[in-house]
Structures are given as C-alpha cells and as structure tokens.
mmCIF file of all heavy atoms in Angstrom:
data_model
loop_
_atom_site.group_PDB
_atom_site.id
_atom_site.type_symbol
_atom_site.label_atom_id
_atom_site.label_comp_id
_atom_site.label_asym_id
_atom_site.label_seq_id
_atom_site.Cartn_x
_atom_site.Cartn_y
_atom_site.Cartn_z
ATOM 1 N N GLY X 744 119.818 133.321 74.601
ATOM 2 C CA GLY X 744 119.083 134.485 74.112
ATOM 3 C C GLY X 744 118.886 135.533 75.200
ATOM 4 O O GLY X 744 118.994 136.736 74.947
ATOM 5 N N SER X 745 118.657 135.070 76.420
ATOM 6 C CA SER X 745 118.449 135.988 77.529
ATOM 7 C C SER X 745 119.715 136.761 77.851
ATOM 8 O O SER X 745 119.659 137.927 78.274
ATOM 9 C CB SER X 745 117.979 135.197 78.755
ATOM 10 O OG SER X 745 117.759 136.043 79.859
ATOM 11 N N ILE X 746 120.878 136.126 77.656
ATOM 12 C CA ILE X 746 122.149 136.819 77.893
ATOM 13 C C ILE X 746 122.274 138.037 76.971
ATOM 14 O O ILE X 746 122.723 139.107 77.402
ATOM 15 C CB ILE X 746 123.319 135.849 77.714
ATOM 16 C CG1 ILE X 746 123.428 134.915 78.923
ATOM 17 C CG2 ILE X 746 124.637 136.598 77.512
ATOM 18 C CD1 ILE X 746 124.435 133.807 78.766
ATOM 19 N N LEU X 747 121.916 137.861 75.708
ATOM 20 C CA LEU X 747 121.990 138.988 74.786
ATOM 21 C C LEU X 747 121.070 140.114 75.239
ATOM 22 O O LEU X 747 121.442 141.293 75.188
ATOM 23 C CB LEU X 747 121.613 138.525 73.372
ATOM 24 C CG LEU X 747 122.567 137.532 72.714
ATOM 25 C CD1 LEU X 747 122.051 137.132 71.348
ATOM 26 C CD2 LEU X 747 123.980 138.110 72.617
ATOM 27 N N PHE X 748 119.874 139.772 75.671
ATOM 28 C CA PHE X 748 118.953 140.767 76.186
ATOM 29 C C PHE X 748 119.501 141.405 77.453
ATOM 30 O O PHE X 748 119.388 142.614 77.676
ATOM 31 C CB PHE X 748 117.585 140.142 76.443
ATOM 32 C CG PHE X 748 116.523 141.112 76.876
ATOM 33 C CD1 PHE X 748 116.259 142.254 76.129
ATOM 34 C CD2 PHE X 748 115.776 140.879 78.026
ATOM 35 C CE1 PHE X 748 115.286 143.160 76.534
ATOM 36 C CE2 PHE X 748 114.793 141.761 78.427
ATOM 37 C CZ PHE X 748 114.548 142.907 77.675
ATOM 38 N N GLY X 749 120.140 140.564 78.299
ATOM 39 C CA GLY X 749 120.748 141.073 79.513
ATOM 40 C C GLY X 749 121.873 142.046 79.226
ATOM 41 O O GLY X 749 122.069 143.016 79.978
ATOM 42 N N GLY X 750 122.614 141.836 78.125
ATOM 43 C CA GLY X 750 123.652 142.777 77.744
ATOM 44 C C GLY X 750 123.073 144.134 77.379
ATOM 45 O O GLY X 750 123.619 145.183 77.778
ATOM 46 N N TYR X 751 121.960 144.118 76.645
ATOM 47 C CA TYR X 751 121.287 145.378 76.308
ATOM 48 C C TYR X 751 120.797 146.076 77.572
ATOM 49 O O TYR X 751 121.000 147.285 77.754
ATOM 50 C CB TYR X 751 120.116 145.106 75.367
ATOM 51 C CG TYR X 751 119.163 146.287 75.254
ATOM 52 C CD1 TYR X 751 119.483 147.392 74.491
ATOM 53 C CD2 TYR X 751 117.947 146.271 75.954
ATOM 54 C CE1 TYR X 751 118.618 148.489 74.415
ATOM 55 C CE2 TYR X 751 117.078 147.349 75.884
ATOM 56 C CZ TYR X 751 117.417 148.444 75.111
ATOM 57 O OH TYR X 751 116.569 149.522 75.055
ATOM 58 N N LEU X 752 120.153 145.314 78.474
ATOM 59 C CA LEU X 752 119.647 145.908 79.712
ATOM 60 C C LEU X 752 120.774 146.461 80.576
ATOM 61 O O LEU X 752 120.634 147.516 81.201
ATOM 62 C CB LEU X 752 118.851 144.865 80.501
ATOM 63 C CG LEU X 752 117.546 144.370 79.896
ATOM 64 C CD1 LEU X 752 116.918 143.291 80.769
ATOM 65 C CD2 LEU X 752 116.556 145.521 79.681
ATOM 66 N N THR X 753 121.908 145.753 80.587
ATOM 67 C CA THR X 753 123.046 146.206 81.375
ATOM 68 C C THR X 753 123.581 147.527 80.867
ATOM 69 O O THR X 753 123.858 148.448 81.645
ATOM 70 C CB THR X 753 124.154 145.136 81.356
ATOM 71 O OG1 THR X 753 123.674 143.941 81.996
ATOM 72 C CG2 THR X 753 125.405 145.611 82.100
ATOM 73 N N ASP X 754 123.744 147.655 79.541
ATOM 74 C CA ASP X 754 124.217 148.922 78.966
ATOM 75 C C ASP X 754 123.179 150.034 79.160
ATOM 76 O O ASP X 754 123.540 151.203 79.281
ATOM 77 C CB ASP X 754 124.515 148.750 77.478
ATOM 78 C CG ASP X 754 125.856 148.051 77.239
ATOM 79 O OD1 ASP X 754 126.712 148.079 78.140
ATOM 80 O OD2 ASP X 754 126.040 147.472 76.154
ATOM 81 N N ARG X 755 121.913 149.660 79.183
ATOM 82 C CA ARG X 755 120.835 150.663 79.247
ATOM 83 C C ARG X 755 120.552 151.103 80.671
ATOM 84 O O ARG X 755 120.390 152.307 80.941
ATOM 85 C CB ARG X 755 119.568 150.065 78.625
ATOM 86 C CG ARG X 755 118.350 150.963 78.632
ATOM 87 C CD ARG X 755 118.489 152.143 77.667
ATOM 88 N NE ARG X 755 117.282 152.932 77.606
ATOM 89 C CZ ARG X 755 116.944 153.863 78.498
ATOM 90 N NH1 ARG X 755 117.723 154.101 79.531
ATOM 91 N NH2 ARG X 755 115.825 154.543 78.357
ATOM 92 N N PHE X 756 120.496 150.143 81.628
ATOM 93 C CA PHE X 756 120.066 150.474 82.982
ATOM 94 C C PHE X 756 121.129 150.273 84.055
ATOM 95 O O PHE X 756 120.936 150.664 85.201
ATOM 96 C CB PHE X 756 118.833 149.641 83.361
ATOM 97 C CG PHE X 756 117.642 149.869 82.462
ATOM 98 C CD1 PHE X 756 117.279 148.933 81.514
ATOM 99 C CD2 PHE X 756 116.909 151.031 82.556
ATOM 100 C CE1 PHE X 756 116.190 149.142 80.677
ATOM 101 C CE2 PHE X 756 115.810 151.260 81.734
ATOM 102 C CZ PHE X 756 115.449 150.307 80.791
ATOM 103 N N GLY X 757 122.242 149.636 83.713
ATOM 104 C CA GLY X 757 123.288 149.374 84.690
ATOM 105 C C GLY X 757 123.192 147.970 85.249
ATOM 106 O O GLY X 757 122.093 147.395 85.394
ATOM 107 N N GLY X 758 124.364 147.410 85.580
ATOM 108 C CA GLY X 758 124.418 146.021 86.034
ATOM 109 C C GLY X 758 123.722 145.749 87.344
ATOM 110 O O GLY X 758 123.171 144.679 87.561
ATOM 111 N N GLY X 759 123.733 146.718 88.254
ATOM 112 C CA GLY X 759 123.143 146.494 89.568
ATOM 113 C C GLY X 759 121.672 146.148 89.514
ATOM 114 O O GLY X 759 121.217 145.171 90.123
ATOM 115 N N ARG X 760 120.903 146.925 88.783
ATOM 116 C CA ARG X 760 119.464 146.677 88.687
ATOM 117 C C ARG X 760 119.176 145.330 88.021
ATOM 118 O O ARG X 760 118.264 144.597 88.430
ATOM 119 C CB ARG X 760 118.796 147.792 87.898
ATOM 120 C CG ARG X 760 118.853 149.160 88.575
ATOM 121 C CD ARG X 760 118.216 150.233 87.710
ATOM 122 N NE ARG X 760 118.301 151.554 88.305
ATOM 123 C CZ ARG X 760 117.868 152.658 87.733
ATOM 124 N NH1 ARG X 760 117.335 152.611 86.527
ATOM 125 N NH2 ARG X 760 117.998 153.824 88.354
ATOM 126 N N VAL X 761 119.937 145.016 86.990
ATOM 127 C CA VAL X 761 119.716 143.761 86.274
ATOM 128 C C VAL X 761 120.016 142.571 87.184
ATOM 129 O O VAL X 761 119.289 141.567 87.176
ATOM 130 C CB VAL X 761 120.576 143.690 84.999
ATOM 131 C CG1 VAL X 761 120.433 142.344 84.309
ATOM 132 C CG2 VAL X 761 120.199 144.820 84.045
ATOM 133 N N LEU X 762 121.069 142.671 88.000
ATOM 134 C CA LEU X 762 121.399 141.589 88.935
ATOM 135 C C LEU X 762 120.251 141.340 89.912
ATOM 136 O O LEU X 762 119.885 140.184 90.179
ATOM 137 C CB LEU X 762 122.674 141.929 89.702
ATOM 138 C CG LEU X 762 123.998 141.736 88.980
ATOM 139 C CD1 LEU X 762 125.145 142.306 89.816
ATOM 140 C CD2 LEU X 762 124.249 140.276 88.679
ATOM 141 N N VAL X 763 119.687 142.398 90.449
ATOM 142 C CA VAL X 763 118.600 142.251 91.421
ATOM 143 C C VAL X 763 117.401 141.559 90.777
ATOM 144 O O VAL X 763 116.837 140.599 91.336
ATOM 145 C CB VAL X 763 118.195 143.619 91.995
ATOM 146 C CG1 VAL X 763 116.929 143.491 92.843
ATOM 147 C CG2 VAL X 763 119.326 144.207 92.831
ATOM 148 N N VAL X 764 116.986 142.018 89.623
ATOM 149 C CA VAL X 764 115.848 141.417 88.933
ATOM 150 C C VAL X 764 116.109 139.946 88.638
ATOM 151 O O VAL X 764 115.238 139.088 88.836
ATOM 152 C CB VAL X 764 115.549 142.176 87.623
ATOM 153 C CG1 VAL X 764 114.524 141.422 86.778
ATOM 154 C CG2 VAL X 764 115.032 143.592 87.938
ATOM 155 N N SER X 765 117.310 139.635 88.184
ATOM 156 C CA SER X 765 117.652 138.261 87.820
ATOM 157 C C SER X 765 117.557 137.328 89.033
ATOM 158 O O SER X 765 116.940 136.260 88.952
ATOM 159 C CB SER X 765 119.053 138.209 87.220
ATOM 160 O OG SER X 765 119.443 136.877 86.953
ATOM 161 N N PHE X 766 118.147 137.727 90.153
ATOM 162 C CA PHE X 766 118.191 136.816 91.282
ATOM 163 C C PHE X 766 116.862 136.702 92.016
ATOM 164 O O PHE X 766 116.540 135.652 92.563
ATOM 165 C CB PHE X 766 119.315 137.218 92.240
ATOM 166 C CG PHE X 766 120.679 136.948 91.687
ATOM 167 C CD1 PHE X 766 121.639 137.941 91.639
ATOM 168 C CD2 PHE X 766 121.004 135.703 91.175
ATOM 169 C CE1 PHE X 766 122.902 137.698 91.113
ATOM 170 C CE2 PHE X 766 122.258 135.439 90.651
ATOM 171 C CZ PHE X 766 123.201 136.435 90.617
ATOM 172 N N VAL X 767 116.079 137.775 92.019
ATOM 173 C CA VAL X 767 114.723 137.673 92.574
ATOM 174 C C VAL X 767 113.900 136.683 91.746
ATOM 175 O O VAL X 767 113.191 135.826 92.280
ATOM 176 C CB VAL X 767 114.043 139.049 92.613
ATOM 177 C CG1 VAL X 767 112.544 138.903 92.914
ATOM 178 C CG2 VAL X 767 114.692 139.942 93.687
ATOM 179 N N GLY X 768 113.994 136.798 90.417
ATOM 180 C CA GLY X 768 113.273 135.866 89.542
ATOM 181 C C GLY X 768 113.744 134.445 89.699
ATOM 182 O O GLY X 768 112.928 133.498 89.714
ATOM 183 N N LEU X 769 115.060 134.251 89.799
ATOM 184 C CA LEU X 769 115.617 132.907 89.986
ATOM 185 C C LEU X 769 115.063 132.244 91.240
ATOM 186 O O LEU X 769 114.648 131.085 91.220
ATOM 187 C CB LEU X 769 117.150 132.992 90.050
ATOM 188 C CG LEU X 769 117.884 131.711 90.460
ATOM 189 C CD1 LEU X 769 117.705 130.637 89.389
ATOM 190 C CD2 LEU X 769 119.351 131.994 90.714
ATOM 191 N N THR X 770 115.046 132.991 92.336
ATOM 192 C CA THR X 770 114.571 132.432 93.611
ATOM 193 C C THR X 770 113.098 132.025 93.519
ATOM 194 O O THR X 770 112.700 130.939 93.959
ATOM 195 C CB THR X 770 114.777 133.456 94.743
ATOM 196 O OG1 THR X 770 116.149 133.821 94.808
ATOM 197 C CG2 THR X 770 114.350 132.871 96.081
ATOM 198 N N GLY X 771 112.287 132.911 92.962
ATOM 199 C CA GLY X 771 110.852 132.609 92.858
ATOM 200 C C GLY X 771 110.572 131.389 91.988
ATOM 201 O O GLY X 771 109.768 130.517 92.354
ATOM 202 N N LEU X 772 111.210 131.315 90.835
ATOM 203 C CA LEU X 772 110.973 130.191 89.925
ATOM 204 C C LEU X 772 111.495 128.886 90.499
ATOM 205 O O LEU X 772 110.864 127.829 90.334
ATOM 206 C CB LEU X 772 111.647 130.472 88.580
ATOM 207 C CG LEU X 772 110.950 131.522 87.717
ATOM 208 C CD1 LEU X 772 111.821 131.904 86.528
ATOM 209 C CD2 LEU X 772 109.606 131.003 87.226
ATOM 210 N N LEU X 773 112.636 128.924 91.187
ATOM 211 C CA LEU X 773 113.160 127.697 91.799
ATOM 212 C C LEU X 773 112.195 127.167 92.871
ATOM 213 O O LEU X 773 111.975 125.954 92.984
ATOM 214 C CB LEU X 773 114.520 127.979 92.434
ATOM 215 C CG LEU X 773 115.747 127.659 91.582
ATOM 216 C CD1 LEU X 773 117.021 128.089 92.306
ATOM 217 C CD2 LEU X 773 115.802 126.182 91.259
#
C-alpha cells in the first residue's frame, strides 16, 4: 500500500525528496 502512495508522492514531489524521507524513516525505525 505504501508503494502506491509513494508513486503518487513521486509524481507530485519528485523522486529525490521521497527517497530522502524514506531512508531517514527507515534508519530511525530500525
């Protein structure tokens, strides 16, 4: 489900910003 949302965010804001948010969140949660 998050991938579908990520596709919308990517088209809306660009892949670079989405990548940064994703990996910062991944590191913190891990």
Side-chain angles (χ1 to χ4, degrees):
S745 180
I746 284 172
L747 294 178
F748 185 53
Y751 165 77
L752 293 177
T753 297
D754 282 338
R755 179 70 175 81
F756 299 105
R760 294 177 182 178
V761 176
L762 282 172
V763 171
V764 170
S765 176
F766 289 127
V767 168
L769 171 66
T770 303
L772 287 169
L773 265 176

